[in-house]
């Protein structure tokens, strides 16, 4: 891993969570040589871990998957058209506890992901990515994917700390230094 703020990236594996197991999706991703860290079925709560968290997963282009002390990639069985956060979210507490143990902050610095297909052309800021926290695949710089779609991030990170602020540009600080 390259270092920097820890983060988690939420992807979609397009399938019906009522009829597809996390284990079968995990086997398919291994066959495709695209293993994430976790595959999660939010309806049944079944979770499969494919890689250790300290190893880069294969869902992001270039070195993006190596950014941060950890860059956890989570494949959620569902649809970008129908937010997975509208389901039961069985097993989410265990996933969040695991992410918390690796100091991934419960914040979504880029704000909620846009609905699909608008998310295909959403902004992907390197500055916001550098802050760490939780991101949708559609919010990662260098990607052109649209998942996970319009999810309710408060069902994942909670309501207590909505952090959507954008860091101030360095030029603002230089102006302040000259004034003082």
């Amino acid at each position: 891993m390259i270092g920097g703020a820890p983060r988690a990236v939420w992807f979609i594996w397009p399938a019906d969570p009522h009829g597809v197991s996390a284990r079968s999706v995990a086997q398919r991703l291994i066959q495709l040589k695209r293993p994430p860290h976790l595959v999660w079925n939010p309806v049944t709560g079944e979770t499969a871990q494919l890689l250790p968290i300290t190893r880069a997963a294969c869902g992001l282009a270039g070195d993006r998957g190596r950014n941060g002390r950890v860059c956890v990639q989570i494949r959620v069985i569902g649809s970008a058209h129908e937010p997975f956060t509208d389901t039961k979210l069985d097993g989410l507490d265990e996933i969040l506890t695991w992410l918390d143990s690796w100091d991934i902050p419960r914040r979504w610095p880029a704000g909620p992901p846009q609905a699909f297909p608008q998310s295909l052309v959403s902004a992907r800021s390197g500055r916001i990515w550098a802050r760490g926290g939780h991101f949708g695949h559609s919010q990662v710089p260098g990607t052109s994917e649209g998942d996970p779609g319009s999810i309710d991030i408060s069902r994942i990170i909670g309501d207590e700390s909505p952090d959507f602020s954008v860091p101030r540009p360095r030029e603002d600080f230089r102006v302040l230094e000259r004034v003082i």
Side-chain angles (χ1 to χ4, degrees), residues 9-171:
V9 181
W10 297 81
F11 298 75
I12 289 292
W13 180 264
D16 180 5
H18 295 281
V20 176
S21 70
R23 181 180 175 147
S24 65
V25 171
Q27 289 172 336
R28 182 66 181 136
L29 286 164
I30 290 169
Q31 289 172 345
L32 294 171
K33 298 186 183 338
R34 305 294 296 166
H37 293 97
L38 297 180
V39 175
W40 175 48
N41 183 320
V43 173
T44 66
E46 180 189 15
T47 304
Q49 183 174 354
L50 282 68
L51 295 171
I53 198 169
T54 54
R55 183 171 168 207
C58 302
L60 298 173
D63 273 351
R64 284 289 175 212
R66 295 176 48 79
N67 292 163
R69 290 185 296 279
V70 294
C71 183
V72 181
Q73 297 176 32
I74 304 168
R75 285 275 181 182
V76 181
I77 302 170
S79 168
H81 298 283
E82 299 173 19
F84 71 84
T85 52
D86 290 350
T87 63
K88 297 188 314 182
L89 303 182
D90 280 354
L92 179 61
D93 290 339
E94 291 80 7
I95 292 171
L96 291 175
T97 299
W98 184 62
L99 297 175
D100 290 344
S101 74
W102 287 93
D103 296 325
I104 297 171
R106 286 202 189 187
R107 66 175 176 232
W108 212 289
Q114 291 184 351
F116 187 86
Q118 293 85 357
S119 57
L120 291 167
V121 293
S122 64
R124 292 160 168 87
S125 167
R127 175 178 283 186
I128 293 173
W129 171 253
R131 296 181 68 196
H134 293 255
F135 295 86
H137 189 198
S138 62
Q139 298 172 315
V140 178
T143 65
S144 59
E145 302 298 325
D147 59 315
S150 179
I151 58 173
D152 180 357
I153 61 172
S154 68
R155 296 231 27 226
I156 298 173
I157 61 171
D159 290 328
E160 62 275 351
S161 62
D163 182 7
F164 306 135
S165 63
V166 177
R168 294 173 66 180
R170 291 179 188 211
E171 294 78 38

